[in-house]
Amino acid sequence: MTKSTTQSLPNSAPSTDDPFLWLEDRTAKQSLDWVHGQNEIAVGELQGDPSYQASFQTALDLMTAEDNIAVGAAIAGHVYNFWQDKTNALGLWRRTTVASYKTEKPVWETIIDFDQLAAKEGIKWVFSGASRLYPDFSRCLLSMSPDGGDASEMREFDIETRSFIEGGFRAPASKSNFGWLDEDTVIVSAAFEDADKTESGYPRVIKLWKRGTALEEATPIFEAQKDDLAAGAGVEFDGDKRHVFLARAINFFASHSFLHLPSGENRRIPLPDDATDTSLFKDQLVFGVRTPWTAPDGTVCQPDGLYSLDFAHWIETGSFGAIEILLAPAHRVSIAGLARTQDRLFISLMDNVRGKVLVCERRDGVWSMKPLALPENGTVGISHAEHFGSSVSFSFTDFLTPSSIIWSDDDGETLETVKSQPARFDAAPLISEQFEARSKDGTMIPYFVVRRRDQKGPVPTLLYGYGGFEVPLLPGYAGVRGRLWLEKGNAYVQACIRGGGEFGPAWHQAALKGNRQNGFDDFAAVAEDVVRRGIATASSLGIQGGSNGGLLTGVSLTQRPELFGAVIIEVPLLDMLRYTELPPGASWMAEYGDPSKPEDARWLSAYSPYQHVRAGAAYPPVLLTTSTADDRVHPGHARKMAARLQEAGHDRTLFFEETEGGHGGRGDRRPQAAQTAMKYVFLQRALSAKA
């Protein structure tokens, strides 16, 4: 297919008939028979490749290595960690003392062995987190998924006795959330019955559940609208003050927050709907905004800045006082997140996609701030901050530097590297560079390239992208990618396209809803720039993306197939005219639009990959992956796309569906390692002869 023809595809009439609706039935025999048949073909071709077994073993070894970093959070003198290795496939929830954690070989106490629990109960439980009870933190509300999906069962658990509480709080698997109000009261964000759920399938009603009563008897204290995204609740401590916050999440980017008062009143906190990066610290409510907002005192709050107000004053008077500017916006600097210890607030920033952390104090009504002396020119994250103490830890990595954990017991005053992952591949011959590509509308799009220093000509190259939901793609060390891709002389490219969060809300909004094509154009521009620089040829350039990134690679396949030699589409959205019909698709309308509205349907139909498959198009080889247990992005998207491609004669289309693991592939590492190895085998086969 010629370039001019492929560029015209977004404006051509999409196919509206759908002979593959039956594949949307997640567990019907007909659907699963089709899945098993497809899996057999994909496994036979990819796992049958001579290089597969070694690749699988390498991936599994690295994913389960004993010397991987045990990332943990400190609470009341202990560091808690979830750990998986070859012996513990489903994992251990465990803890050690802070002093022991800092040693080379910590002495861990197992809290729960999930492999033993699975053997006992006959369910492959996947750990989903625990809410611990203040102030002793020895009781918790433990969440476990039966299949790796988002829906989890909750049980009350005693950490000291390592046992579930007989007759304690317990709830069946759902997308509900649980937190402690006090020892005998749980706050439930309920999503059990249809009446409790939003249209997206998330919690709509907040209830108080008293010990000794049935869950059905819990008392409602707050409700969101049926068409909202979700309702949420949480208890926040500020010193010795306990606050109960409730939230009505209208969509991913807008919400109304409330303070639940002792009187029973739910008082709305009058911040703008698109407030973000909120934190309560020393009676100050810190917040940011996604669009400019003029506060009642006349202060103009701008995106990428941070502001604070006297929360205690608002509780007492019901009105905001003066707004203080904590951090002014700066060019290409965005806020990655906030965390706090008892006495300090930490601000994680991205400066041109490179990390840094600021530490703030509040004394005598005045803010002070200084940068932390952390490594530069990489990705810096806040691993944990002890809310009721002074310990805080940070992670550092880049494409060629193994991850490390930098620890402080005194609010960041002294810093010590306590954990460093061993190198997983030979980085000496490699170089990491940052370039920019000019997109269709002239916007400069940054991207990273990792390759051999002495590269003389085009090589097989993997281009990865995401571009949605304000999520940034940051430099990070990946041992599996290093061993299975970079060490073989291949190159890796990571694109920071619009729609993501690399440069704050405006970068995201530039590819929102009807502007989505900007992100797709950005990705194509990076691909063309990579070829122009001689890093790859179009036929030796493969692309990969998952979830929203799967939509990106699906659109890239149907709009610009001539730019690529292989396409991997993981756990994707692909039928954008029906995505709201596949739960929980309705939750994403603030990102993509509503296909039931004619105006939105026009832009969605202009790019929706499923409707733009063409029988005569010269598509490169395609690998689609999904999971039967994915209750976040329905597997019907990937199934139907694979079926339509194959029906249209594109016989180089492979499909593989894992039967467990959910959207993020949680649970046993062996299926994850197998799928990872299959993808690298697919790329190497498709691209190696074309450089």
Side-chain angles (χ1 to χ4, degrees):
M1 180 174 287
T2 64
K3 183 174 181 179
S4 60
T5 303
T6 57
Q7 287 179 324
S8 71
L9 287 181
N11 299 315
S12 60
S15 172
T16 56
D17 64 312
D18 192 351
F20 300 112
L21 275 175
W22 55 276
L23 284 169
E24 293 181 0
D25 193 328
R26 187 191 303 267
T27 57
K29 182 180 185 302
Q30 184 183 16
S31 299
L32 292 179
D33 285 347
W34 180 89
V35 166
H36 296 323
Q38 293 288 323
N39 283 358
E40 187 176 349
I41 294 169
V43 167
E45 185 159 333
L46 298 178
Q47 294 192 13
D49 186 277
S51 66
Y52 168 77
Q53 190 58 43
S55 295
F56 163 72
Q57 196 60 54
T58 296
L60 182 61
D61 288 346
L62 294 180
M63 289 178 179
T64 59
E66 295 285 348
D67 56 2
N68 282 335
I69 290 180
V71 178
I75 301 176
H78 284 92
V79 176
Y80 289 79
N81 163 259
F82 178 70
W83 180 259
Q84 291 172 280
D85 56 28
K86 284 189 177 69
T87 304
N88 304 284
L90 294 176
L92 306 171
W93 189 37
R94 59 186 191 172
R95 72 177 185 180
T96 187
T97 64
V98 172
S100 180
Y101 178 76
K102 295 179 185 179
T103 65
E104 186 175 344
K105 292 186 177 181
V107 178
W108 294 97
E109 308 171 56
T110 298
I111 301 171
I112 295 184
D113 183 325
F114 284 95
D115 293 277
Q116 288 185 4
L117 184 65
K120 177 182 178 182
E121 299 191 354
I123 299 174
K124 295 176 70 173
W125 292 111
V126 175
F127 181 51
S128 299
S131 172
R132 273 154 286 198
L133 177 62
Y134 172 87
D136 296 329
F137 306 107
S138 60
R139 288 281 182 102
C140 68
L141 304 174
L142 185 78
S143 293
M144 308 179 296
S145 168
D147 58 9
D150 291 347
S152 295
E153 179 176 310
M154 184 278 288
R155 303 185 202 176
E156 187 177 2
F157 186 84
D158 189 312
I159 293 174
E160 298 302 326
T161 63
R162 314 286 195 269
S163 61
F164 293 107
I165 304 298
E166 187 72 29
F169 290 107
R170 181 167 181 170
S174 73
K175 291 189 177 182
S176 304
N177 293 305
F178 305 88
W180 293 102
L181 180 63
D182 56 47
E183 184 177 359
D184 294 315
T185 313
V186 169
I187 304 177
V188 183
S189 302
F192 298 104
E193 307 297 330
D194 286 343
D196 290 339
K197 300 176 185 177
T198 63
E199 292 175 358
S200 299
Y202 292 111
R204 188 187 69 83
V205 183
I206 308 299
K207 303 178 181 182
L208 295 183
W209 183 13
K210 291 291 186 181
R211 186 178 296 280
T213 65
L215 176 59
E216 295 76 17
E217 299 171 5
T219 304
I221 61 169
F222 182 79
E223 294 187 10
Q225 301 299 312
K226 194 72 174 177
D227 60 354
D228 287 343
L229 171 62
V235 175
E236 183 79 15
F237 287 88
D238 187 20
D240 58 357
K241 299 176 183 177
R242 184 184 69 176
H243 301 288
V244 178
F245 288 98
L246 308 172
R248 173 193 166 202
I250 301 168
N251 56 52
F252 266 92
F253 315 110
S255 64
H256 294 169
S257 296
F258 300 80
L259 183 67
H260 182 69
L261 299 174
S263 65
E265 175 194 355
N266 297 325
R267 185 195 292 178
R268 168 90 187 271
I269 303 171
L271 289 172
D273 290 359
D274 65 355
T276 183
D277 298 311
T278 56
S279 181
L280 187 61
F281 178 73
K282 302 286 187 180
D283 282 332
Q284 292 288 302
L285 182 60
V286 176
F287 66 95
V289 293
R290 291 185 171 92
T291 55
W293 176 66
T294 301
D297 71 341
T299 301
V300 178
C301 302
Q302 297 286 356
D304 300 316
L306 281 176
Y307 306 88
S308 74
L309 59 89
D310 189 331
F311 194 62
H313 173 81
W314 175 77
I315 293 175
E316 183 178 346
T317 66
S319 63
F320 287 166
I323 302 293
E324 297 182 56
I325 300 174
L326 175 56
L327 181 70
H331 179 62
R332 288 217 159 182
V333 176
S334 60
I335 299 159
L338 307 177
R340 57 157 298 180
T341 58
Q342 188 166 282
D343 294 314
R344 288 190 173 178
L345 177 70
F346 296 85
I347 306 171
S348 177
L349 299 176
M350 289 180 292
D351 187 345
N352 199 26
V353 205
R354 289 173 169 84
K356 61 175 62 174
V357 176
L358 306 177
V359 58
C360 308
E361 288 187 289
R362 179 85 177 175
R363 294 179 183 270
D364 301 322
V366 177
W367 286 106
S368 63
M369 184 187 316
K370 63 182 180 181
L372 281 182
L374 294 166
E376 299 179 346
N377 297 319
T379 299
V380 177
I382 303 172
S383 293
H384 96 282
E386 190 176 8
H387 194 93
F388 301 99
S390 57
S391 76
V392 59
S393 62
F394 309 92
S395 60
F396 177 81
T397 185
D398 60 34
F399 290 115
L400 301 178
T401 305
S403 302
S404 59
I405 298 293
I406 302 165
W407 191 278
S408 174
D409 285 318
D410 54 10
D411 289 316
E413 284 297 309
T414 57
L415 298 166
E416 175 190 5
T417 299
V418 296
K419 302 290 177 189
S420 295
Q421 182 175 301
R424 301 306 192 195
F425 59 91
D426 182 8
L430 304 175
I431 186 172
S432 175
E433 303 165 287
Q434 188 177 25
F435 299 117
E436 288 188 324
R438 186 179 299 277
S439 193
K440 186 175 181 180
D441 65 357
T443 303
M444 300 307 293
I445 309 301
Y447 67 93
F448 294 94
V449 177
V450 185
R451 56 175 171 163
R452 289 187 63 90
R453 295 175 186 275
D454 59 358
Q455 182 183 341
K456 302 301 183 185
V459 298
T461 298
L462 172 59
L463 167 59
Y464 189 88
Y466 184 77
F469 295 93
E470 284 188 355
V471 175
L473 284 187
L474 305 175
Y477 190 81
V480 175
R481 183 173 64 227
R483 287 280 292 280
L484 298 186
W485 190 249
L486 295 173
E487 276 196 346
K488 295 181 179 180
N490 304 322
Y492 174 75
V493 179
Q494 189 164 289
C496 303
I497 65 176
R498 285 174 289 181
E502 288 84 356
F503 301 116
W507 195 250
H508 167 245
Q509 292 158 13
L512 198 64
K513 292 187 174 181
N515 294 322
R516 203 83 195 167
Q517 188 62 42
N518 284 337
F520 307 142
D521 291 342
D522 295 350
F523 198 61
V526 171
E528 291 173 320
D529 204 59
V530 166
V531 172
R532 183 184 64 81
R533 294 179 186 274
I535 297 167
T537 62
S539 58
S540 74
L541 179 61
I543 57 174
Q544 180 181 15
S547 194
N548 175 76
L551 172 62
L552 170 68
T553 53
V555 171
S556 299
L557 171 70
T558 53
Q559 286 190 3
R560 302 297 303 277
E562 82 284 2
L563 292 182
F564 312 109
V567 177
I568 297 179
I569 303 172
E570 304 168 300
V571 290
L573 292 88
L574 293 168
D575 185 350
M576 300 308 291
L577 299 185
R578 274 187 58 77
Y579 84 91
T580 55
E581 304 299 318
L582 300 175
S587 63
W588 309 317
M589 287 192 290
E591 180 78 12
Y592 301 118
D594 183 352
S596 70
K597 296 179 179 178
E599 179 185 357
D600 295 16
R602 278 194 293 273
W603 72 59
L604 288 165
S605 65
Y607 70 76
S608 181
Y610 182 61
Q611 284 77 21
H612 281 284
V613 172
R614 296 291 181 264
Y619 295 144
V622 181
L623 173 62
L624 294 110
T625 66
T626 187
S627 168
T628 313
D630 191 343
D631 53 1
R632 196 177 311 170
V633 178
H634 196 285
H637 286 278
R639 292 174 178 179
K640 294 199 307 177
M641 186 71 169
R644 175 156 276 178
L645 283 164
Q646 291 168 357
E647 180 197 47
H650 302 294
D651 56 3
R652 295 187 297 172
T653 299
L654 293 174
F655 173 90
F656 181 79
E657 181 171 319
E658 189 55 73
T659 56
E660 59 187 43
H663 188 62
R666 298 187 303 150
D668 193 332
R669 295 292 195 196
R670 287 168 293 195
Q672 298 171 39
Q675 197 171 137
T676 297
M678 289 166 66
K679 290 169 185 173
Y680 281 113
V681 167
F682 169 79
L683 288 169
Q684 201 73 54
R685 285 169 52 146
L687 305 177
S688 290
K690 301 175 181 179

